[in-house]
Amino acid sequence: MFDDIIKNKANEHEAPVPPDAWDNIVKKKKKRRLAFWWLSGGALVLLGISLAGYYFLQGQEANGSNELVTSSQRGVELQEPNDAGRNETAVVEEKNIQPEVDANTAITSEQTKTANDLNKKEINTSKPGSTTINNARATITITNGEAGEENKRSNSKKKWRKSKGRLLAQQTSPGVEEMAAVKVEDNSNTQILEETVSDNLTMAENKNVIALVVPDKKAVTAEEEKKKPDPEKKEAVNQNTAKKQTPKKRWFIEASAMPILTSSNMDETIVFNRTLSAGNNTIVYNGNLLKTSIEPAVAFSLAVRKELNKKFSMGAGLQYLQLKENLSIEGKEINTTYTPVQRLVNGQLVPDTVVTVSEGTRSITAVNSYRQFSIPIFMQYSIIQKKQWSVSAVGGMYINISSSYQNEIDRNAAAPLLVTPAAENKTQTGIDVFAGVRIGKALGRKVDFFVMPSMRWNLTKYTVENSLLNRRMNQAGVGFGICYKVK
Amino acid sequence: MTERELIEGCINNKQEAQKQLFNLYAGKMMSVCLRYANNEALAQDILQEGFIRVFKSIHQFRHQGRFEGWLRRVFVTVALRQVSKQQLFFTDAAILDSQDHSVAPDVVSKISADEIHALIRKMPDGYRTIFNLNVIEGYSHEEIALMLGIQATTSRGQLLKARKYLQLMIDSKNEKIKIDCSNKI
């Protein structure tokens, strides 16, 4: 009864309303609308900057690549299948060939040689007169015929793998241009050639030179690379986040996944040289790193965060990231073979030497796989804190504690070029900094969902031994995660 | 303009309708805000925040009950959020007379709504909040416990004390009136 009377009277009651109440409501509504647009604008600007930065870095890389492409194209132009050019080449390169050629045995050949087609042991029998030589390690395909059209070249795909461990390469060879008029007296010459090349490749185990050459720096041979010691491990920075906190401050556990786009910026041009030489056969390959692109990836993080005061909080955690990088190397390959033959002059057999020079462009694409563990240490500043949602600025650093390669190379197929087994390479890789905006939405009393667009800048160049991945890599991404309030 | 039309206008974000709705219910809602807030400034904040919230979520009202009831619930939610930002202490106020008090219904009936409102506002924060939620808004102790993050037993205890406190205040007010009247005679 008492309660009912009180209830009725309280519900009937009307209190005087401040005269400016309505105006304040209208103002607040406008202010919030503005705040929303500011925030959206800010997020867009941040995203724009991130993307612009990414494309700018990509653009820089592409510019560098264009120069290389141009020079490479020049090389291709020289090899255009026009007869005049072919004859000139023959004149220049085939000094030792006797001018008189037996019409019955002379072969104008276009030869496609891929001395290191180690992955595919294929037999090319598509054209009459083609010869395929297989040995335990390599496939050499010599195709005789009138081929030479550009489109045929572009259709020819070959796999090529090279490694001083870390490079898994797939070669797309547009074919090798014609080279020389070869005088072959009988089928045994083909056999000789087979044996020669086969021997070469066996001997190549001892004589090949595989090097990643940075201009003005000495080339590194395969053996030197093997002996090269691991870089000294840097001291991990010990961040003690468990500082004294007042007992009222809350703890949070955060798990997130962040799709990222990575831009890489190499500060040096990489030239790729390889020479295989044995007996009377030499294969020289000079390539430039045309283009590298790192595939979009997802970084997974787990972190603990603690409130320092009403506005600031600090956290630390662990992040795992796996990157895959596609490399494209393009260059010129020259294969020179000196074949002893006997020529019939005035009814007598005279010993002579046929020099066969094959020249062509070779494109190589490779995939590098790279795994990385980092410790993110960050500060979070609360800009807007509402019951249902919040906006914070986040910044900090990533201490990259470990990076490694997963060896994807088929060891049997890669031999003999692969001299030593490529074990997993672990290296400490320095420090990155990052900044972002975090927008949180309460899902319950203890759980928040958050979205965090952020940008990560690579301060210390990634230096993984024997890898083409040595460069700066910046990352732009948007993280999605769940935050759980522990206390 | 009928209440339904007003609501439709608010859903369509028409400022005229919003202003009319505000004028219609601002007094009662201000009363709600003052009952939960321990000062006028906070009450004004709750009022503004409450109406912004109402305009934002008015489309959720399904015309299945009284609109005023729905409005009150929204305001109570907003008020509790605002109040909970400040620490709410559930302490025992000094009650002078420990004996049970029961105020006669006719005595309470004679007290005006303004006076009742003023008496409720004089209660300590903890008592007042529980009393408002249980007696006036009709929430159960379990619901209150959930809303405030306390035990249901705490809510029950606080309500008993709040009721006694209010009865004492009404009693003392009644005594005062009696004394005043006798002095006049």
Side-chain angles (χ1 to χ4, degrees):
Chain A
M1 191 69 177
F2 171 80
D3 286 355
D4 289 339
I5 296 167
I6 297 285
K7 183 182 177 177
N8 291 335
K9 284 193 184 282
N11 282 338
E12 282 169 19
H13 182 255
E14 284 192 35
V17 180
D20 58 346
W22 175 248
D23 292 337
N24 286 339
I25 289 171
V26 174
K27 273 183 204 167
K28 263 192 181 179
K29 276 168 68 182
K30 277 184 186 169
K31 214 173 171 182
R32 281 186 192 183
R33 223 172 286 156
L34 273 174
F36 171 78
W37 288 115
W38 272 110
L39 278 173
S40 306
L44 279 174
V45 166
L46 193 77
L47 198 69
I49 290 169
S50 303
L51 286 174
Y54 174 75
Y55 284 112
F56 174 71
L57 291 171
Q58 289 287 84
Q60 274 188 333
E61 204 174 300
N63 285 342
S65 300
N66 285 341
E67 289 169 21
L68 294 168
V69 169
T70 309
S71 63
S72 174
Q73 280 171 344
R74 265 185 233 127
V76 172
E77 279 166 18
L78 287 172
Q79 299 157 34
E80 285 291 322
N82 80 54
D83 290 341
R86 197 174 295 164
N87 292 335
E88 276 172 27
T89 311
V91 169
V92 172
E93 301 288 344
E94 298 169 16
K95 291 172 190 169
N96 298 329
I97 298 175
Q98 263 195 332
E100 291 174 24
V101 175
D102 188 333
N104 294 325
T105 54
I107 299 168
T108 302
S109 65
E110 178 180 83
Q111 297 185 338
T112 305
K113 296 189 181 183
T114 52
N116 298 300
D117 192 347
L118 302 171
N119 211 19
K120 283 189 176 178
K121 296 176 181 175
E122 57 190 28
I123 297 170
N124 187 345
T125 55
S126 59
K127 288 178 184 171
S130 70
T131 309
T132 301
I133 303 164
N134 284 349
N135 67 2
R137 302 300 186 191
T139 302
I140 309 286
T141 305
I142 302 169
T143 306
N144 297 327
E146 307 86 31
E149 297 90 358
E150 294 266 348
N151 57 353
K152 284 188 181 174
R153 274 185 269 143
S154 63
N155 287 336
S156 168
K157 290 189 173 179
K158 289 170 190 273
K159 295 247 176 184
W160 182 88
R161 283 169 190 265
K162 174 268 164 189
S163 176
K164 172 58 185 145
R166 310 291 180 261
L167 184 65
L168 171 63
Q170 182 183 27
Q171 177 198 358
T172 304
S173 171
V176 182
E177 285 290 336
E178 62 85 14
M179 273 323 167
V182 181
K183 183 182 176 186
V184 182
E185 291 212 35
D186 54 38
N187 289 338
S188 64
N189 278 338
T190 309
Q191 190 56 44
I192 290 165
L193 184 61
E194 282 179 19
E195 285 169 2
T196 306
V197 176
S198 187
D199 286 343
N200 288 345
L201 286 167
T202 312
M203 293 166 76
E205 283 188 43
N206 298 324
K207 295 188 178 180
N208 66 356
V209 178
I210 301 164
L212 285 177
V213 181
V214 176
D216 302 324
K217 291 183 182 176
K218 68 169 188 177
V220 185
T221 64
E223 297 213 349
E224 282 170 340
E225 276 187 310
K226 180 190 170 186
K227 288 173 186 171
K228 205 172 172 181
D230 283 336
E232 284 185 7
K233 292 184 176 179
K234 295 170 188 171
E235 246 183 57
V237 181
N238 182 19
Q239 293 287 337
N240 185 6
T241 54
K243 289 178 182 173
K244 281 186 179 176
Q245 303 287 346
T246 53
K248 285 178 187 173
K249 309 306 175 194
R250 289 178 298 178
W251 283 87
F252 302 89
I253 294 175
E254 298 176 348
S256 66
M258 180 185 280
I260 56 161
L261 292 172
T262 307
S263 70
S264 65
N265 183 18
M266 275 183 295
D267 43 14
E268 290 163 334
T269 307
I270 290 179
V271 179
F272 184 88
N273 291 336
R274 188 201 60 203
T275 305
L276 293 171
S277 60
N280 38 12
N281 180 245
T282 307
I283 302 169
V284 178
Y285 179 72
N286 296 312
N288 291 318
L289 185 63
L290 275 188
K291 189 181 164 189
T292 66
S293 62
I294 298 170
E295 291 179 8
V298 181
F300 299 95
S301 302
L302 190 66
V304 179
R305 182 164 59 85
K306 183 166 173 58
E307 274 183 349
L308 299 178
N309 56 42
K310 218 173 176 183
K311 289 279 182 188
F312 283 96
S313 54
M314 188 178 178
L318 188 68
Q319 189 192 62
Y320 170 74
L321 172 64
Q322 182 163 8
L323 295 173
K324 278 198 171 181
E325 181 188 37
N326 297 311
L327 304 169
S328 174
I329 300 167
E330 192 162 301
K332 189 189 281 185
E333 184 172 279
I334 301 168
N335 187 351
T336 311
T337 308
Y338 302 93
T339 312
V341 294
Q342 289 199 328
R343 196 165 56 85
L344 191 66
V345 180
N346 298 330
Q348 285 189 333
L349 286 172
V350 178
D352 202 350
T353 306
V354 175
V355 179
T356 309
V357 180
S358 303
E359 187 176 329
T361 54
R362 187 186 285 270
S363 297
I364 299 163
T365 56
V367 179
N368 267 335
S369 182
Y370 180 71
R371 287 181 299 166
Q372 183 186 28
F373 285 95
S374 328
I375 295 178
I377 294 174
F378 57 93
M379 287 289 285
Q380 188 170 316
Y381 175 74
S382 174
I383 301 166
I384 300 171
Q385 182 67 55
K386 298 285 178 189
K387 200 82 180 174
Q388 283 297 311
W389 60 282
S390 62
V391 178
S392 316
V394 185
M397 62 180 172
Y398 284 96
I399 302 171
N400 303 318
I401 52 168
S402 167
S403 58
S404 61
Y405 279 96
Q406 185 150 16
N407 186 4
E408 297 175 11
I409 299 170
D410 179 351
R411 313 221 56 78
N412 291 327
L417 292 175
L418 198 61
V419 180
T420 54
E424 284 204 343
N425 188 5
K426 290 187 170 61
T427 314
Q428 292 173 353
T429 53
I431 290 174
D432 299 350
V433 293
F434 77 99
V437 175
R438 176 186 155 127
I439 300 154
K441 172 90 177 75
L443 295 180
R445 285 171 68 88
K446 291 203 158 191
V447 182
D448 283 2
F449 170 76
F450 65 87
V451 177
M452 193 173 87
S454 68
M455 183 78 193
R456 176 174 170 174
W457 293 273
N458 186 205
L459 289 186
T460 319
K461 196 167 81 170
Y462 285 77
T463 51
V464 180
E465 195 185 3
N466 298 338
S467 164
L468 292 177
L469 208 64
N470 297 347
R471 83 287 304 275
R472 294 188 196 287
M473 289 192 294
N474 297 328
Q475 294 163 9
V478 182
F480 301 91
I482 295 288
C483 172
Y484 179 76
K485 290 171 196 166
V486 181
K487 271 186 190 174
Chain B
M1 207 183 263
T2 64
E3 190 178 84
R4 208 180 180 98
E5 286 169 339
L6 270 182
I7 293 166
E8 290 298 321
C10 291
I11 291 171
N12 295 328
N13 215 16
K14 287 182 180 166
Q15 197 159 327
E16 189 57 37
Q18 288 176 344
K19 191 172 183 181
Q20 278 195 40
L21 192 88
F22 174 82
N23 290 335
L24 200 63
Y25 291 106
K28 283 188 175 177
M29 294 309 119
M30 187 65 189
S31 172
V32 173
C33 298
L34 283 167
R35 275 196 280 113
Y36 283 91
N38 52 14
N39 63 66
E40 293 249 346
L42 183 60
Q44 284 184 31
D45 273 355
I46 296 170
L47 184 79
Q48 290 165 15
E49 200 63 43
F51 270 105
I52 290 170
R53 181 83 182 273
V54 164
F55 296 144
K56 198 178 163 187
S57 51
I58 197 166
H59 62 279
Q60 292 172 5
F61 178 63
R62 301 192 186 284
H63 301 281
Q64 286 169 352
R66 284 183 64 213
F67 179 67
E68 194 184 318
W70 181 82
L71 212 59
R72 274 178 191 279
R73 288 201 167 240
V74 173
F75 271 84
V76 168
T77 311
V78 173
L80 284 179
R81 278 208 182 132
Q82 293 279 351
V83 169
S84 67
K85 282 182 185 171
Q86 304 165 342
Q87 204 84 28
L88 199 60
F89 294 107
F90 295 97
T91 51
D92 290 343
I95 299 173
L96 297 172
D97 191 348
S98 60
Q99 290 174 355
D100 280 348
H101 264 82
S102 55
V103 181
D106 60 319
V107 175
V108 186
S109 306
K110 281 176 189 168
I111 302 173
S112 70
D114 279 349
E115 285 170 322
I116 293 284
H117 181 78
L119 288 175
I120 291 171
R121 288 200 66 203
K122 277 182 186 171
M123 284 201 277
D125 290 348
Y127 289 2
R128 193 179 66 242
T129 307
I130 302 289
F131 186 84
N132 278 329
L133 288 171
N134 181 273
V135 174
I136 300 172
E137 315 299 347
Y139 289 104
S140 69
H141 289 294
E142 283 70 27
E143 286 173 318
I144 295 167
L146 210 66
M147 288 159 90
L148 299 177
I150 57 170
Q151 297 288 322
T153 49
T154 310
S155 175
R156 284 195 186 89
Q158 289 283 308
L159 180 69
L160 282 175
K161 286 166 190 168
R163 201 178 269 137
K164 197 181 282 182
Y165 192 89
L166 187 64
Q167 285 171 346
L168 268 173
M169 284 199 296
I170 292 170
D171 214 21
S172 62
K173 189 176 180 63
N174 197 31
E175 288 293 322
K176 231 181 198 177
I177 293 166
K178 277 182 186 173
I179 292 163
D180 286 347
C181 289
S182 61
N183 284 343
K184 280 179 188 172
I185 294 164

